[in-house]
Amino acid sequence: MNNLLVHANHATPIHLVSEQNLASWTKEQPSHVQCLVEQPRLNSQTVLLIPAEKEQALESVVLVVKDIDDFWALGNLAKQLPKGVYQLAEQTANIESHAIAYLLGAYQFSAYKSLPSIEAKLAIGDEALLNKVKATVDAIFLARDLVNTPAADMMPQHLAETMQELASKFDGQFSEIIGDELLEHNYPTIHMVGRASDNKPRLLELNWGDANHPKITLVGKGVCFDSGGLDLKPASGMRNMKKDMGGAAHVIALAQMIMATNLPVKLRVLVPAVENAVSKNAFRPGDVIKTRKGITVEIDNTDAEGRLVLCDALDEAQSESPDLLIDFATLTGACRIALGTELPGFFSTDQAIANELVAIGNTNADPIWQLPLFDQYKELFKSDVADMANCGSSPFGGAITAALYLKEFVEPSKTPWLHFDVMAWNLRALPGRPVGGEALGLRTVFSYLEQRYS
Ligand code: BES
Ligand code: ZN
Ligand code: ZN
């Protein structure tokens, strides 16, 4: 967990110097700094440790960067510094984002393997700033941990424990509907997708905040492992499917951030949590299910299970007509084909909100890309025997058709709806972003909520 952030006013300063300003900056430094800075051919990402003149300690750290405004400039620094307590030099601009990038770069998933520990702490003196940085980094670490944890240890009951702990930490309420109770409470699709697993399907719910505040409802796809079901995935496609609860990880992390910063909203989180397993009682291609909303759906492919568990949860979410409804899901491979793995796609029934989100994402280095709810493709999931099928026969436009399927279960005239189709995984390491579980679009959505509601 994130224990590298400390509250202190004095620590070894980190000076950020751009390649461009290096020469002029060096001229102003004392001679012992000048000779260190001048001797090697410095380029971007060089880290210089400046020893103190007398004691055996560091006087400062100099980090040469290409662009001082790059959000991720400090993303590789924590791993390179010796044990100590550091702080960004006073005159540094964008301390908040540099601190976040520094700390995100120190993330390690060491639950199953001991790794050389990173012991370069970061001190922040301003308490409000510290709390904001901490809320952001803790949330992203939580999402990464949840996604990285192997499926055997991150089944619906484990997601339930996580949400329960979160609720009690922030004085919220947690409740859940388990196994056959889902049928009694009319959540047929969640039960159907999850019934083949020994780990019973669940609908998890967290409520928090003042009932007089605007209501925000978050829904996250919690498929703890997606084997594909009877339409079994090939080995390569199944390998990473412990991350198929990534949408749940995003909304749980977002909820934590909202509660930790005490955003004045009434928060509701719904997570349909299931394992899409293969067993003699697994649901089948050709089965027809009557959803919570009453729409009948023919199963064309058991691997299109995310939209099935989400549709009952979205219908319930919609029933309270919240001010804003947001879902996150590792919903389609097609979205990755369209945008690659590092840019999450999103859909919105409200263009003004979408525009604001895109603008925020571009300024805070957490970009998102809007895809269209192109109604014409609705025909692609028509069924001969039911109101609709869970997917179409053609893979083209798969992210759009999946979003259109979900749209059938919300009422945009009552509640603006945002749907994020995320990867939840870094395939390659980038500064501040190690390989493995990742939260994408989270800071952007939080900033939007903060601007709108606080
Ligand atoms: N969980 C997958 C989607 C996925 C795959 C997200 C890889 C991110 C990376 C989802 O349940 C799925 O299998 N979708 C199918 C839908 C198809 C059967 C219509 C897909 O995308 O191939
Ligand atoms: Zn699937
Ligand atoms: Zn899935």
Side-chain angles (χ1 to χ4, degrees), residues 117-314:
S117 56
I118 296 172
E119 294 178 298
K121 299 192 177 199
L122 187 71
I124 295 183
D126 179 325
E127 209 164 336
L129 181 62
L130 177 123
N131 289 338
K132 177 74 196 297
V133 169
K134 183 169 163 40
T136 307
V137 175
D138 281 351
I140 294 175
F141 276 28
L142 173 63
R144 289 175 177 177
D145 282 346
L146 292 175
V147 173
N148 284 331
T149 302
D153 293 336
M154 193 47 68
M155 278 294 160
Q157 61 273 26
H158 304 105
L159 280 178
E161 280 163 28
T162 304
M163 278 174 69
Q164 185 145 34
E165 277 164 27
L166 211 56
S168 51
K169 181 169 176 197
F170 293 102
D171 235 354
Q173 295 83 46
F174 172 79
S175 63
E176 58 182 328
I177 302 173
I178 306 174
D180 290 344
E181 287 169 21
L182 287 163
L183 295 176
E184 291 154 32
H185 288 84
N186 191 24
Y187 291 100
T189 61
I190 301 173
H191 183 270
M192 178 187 68
V193 173
R195 73 186 181 208
S197 172
D198 286 339
N199 302 285
K200 290 186 178 159
R202 302 179 185 222
L203 178 61
L204 313 176
E205 174 161 1
L206 182 153
N207 280 284
W208 174 87
D210 183 335
N212 297 317
H213 288 153
K215 180 160 206 159
I216 297 179
T217 301
L218 308 177
V219 179
K221 171 177 170 182
V223 176
C224 294
F225 189 75
D226 183 8
S227 69
L230 290 177
D231 287 312
L232 200 65
K233 284 183 183 294
S236 60
M238 205 190 298
R239 176 62 183 88
N240 250 348
M241 280 299 129
K242 68 172 181 180
K243 78 176 174 75
D244 213 22
M245 34 56 71
H250 277 71
V251 298
I252 292 170
L254 185 56
Q256 178 176 291
M257 218 172 151
I258 288 170
M259 297 189 289
T261 53
N262 218 355
L263 202 68
V265 295
K266 173 84 176 83
L267 177 66
R268 185 182 194 207
V269 183
L270 290 171
V271 170
V274 301
E275 179 185 7
N276 188 17
V278 179
S279 183
K280 63 186 178 195
N281 65 337
F283 72 123
R284 315 161 188 82
D287 283 354
V288 174
I289 184 87
K290 186 168 184 186
T291 61
R292 180 179 182 81
K293 192 172 180 177
I295 298 174
T296 57
V297 174
E298 181 182 15
I299 307 308
D300 180 75
N301 192 314
T302 61
D303 197 10
E305 83 299 336
R307 60 196 80 182
L308 290 168
V309 296
L310 286 172
C311 73
D312 276 1
L314 284 173

Side-chain angles (χ1 to χ4, degrees), residues 6-13 85-88 90 123-127:
V6 292
H7 187 207
N9 285 308
H10 297 289
T12 309
V85 183
Y86 302 85
Q87 68 183 1
L88 285 149
E90 262 169 36
I124 295 183
D126 179 325
E127 209 164 336

Side-chain angles (χ1 to χ4, degrees), residues 56-137:
Q56 275 203 324
L58 280 185
E59 179 190 281
S60 64
V61 172
V62 178
L63 175 65
V64 184
V65 295
K66 233 186 200 83
D67 174 7
I68 217 149
D69 294 322
D70 174 14
F71 182 95
W72 297 108
L74 271 73
N76 283 331
L77 187 58
K79 291 179 282 195
Q80 300 176 66
L81 292 181
K83 182 172 179 169
V85 183
Y86 302 85
Q87 68 183 1
L88 285 149
E90 262 169 36
Q91 65 278 18
T92 315
N94 311 324
I95 289 196
E96 179 180 326
S97 51
H98 288 319
I100 290 171
Y102 177 93
L103 293 163
L104 290 179
Y107 175 83
Q108 291 179 303
F109 184 63
S110 53
Y112 299 83
K113 183 182 186 177
S114 57
L115 298 165
S117 56
I118 296 172
E119 294 178 298
K121 299 192 177 199
L122 187 71
I124 295 183
D126 179 325
E127 209 164 336
L129 181 62
L130 177 123
N131 289 338
K132 177 74 196 297
V133 169
K134 183 169 163 40
T136 307
V137 175

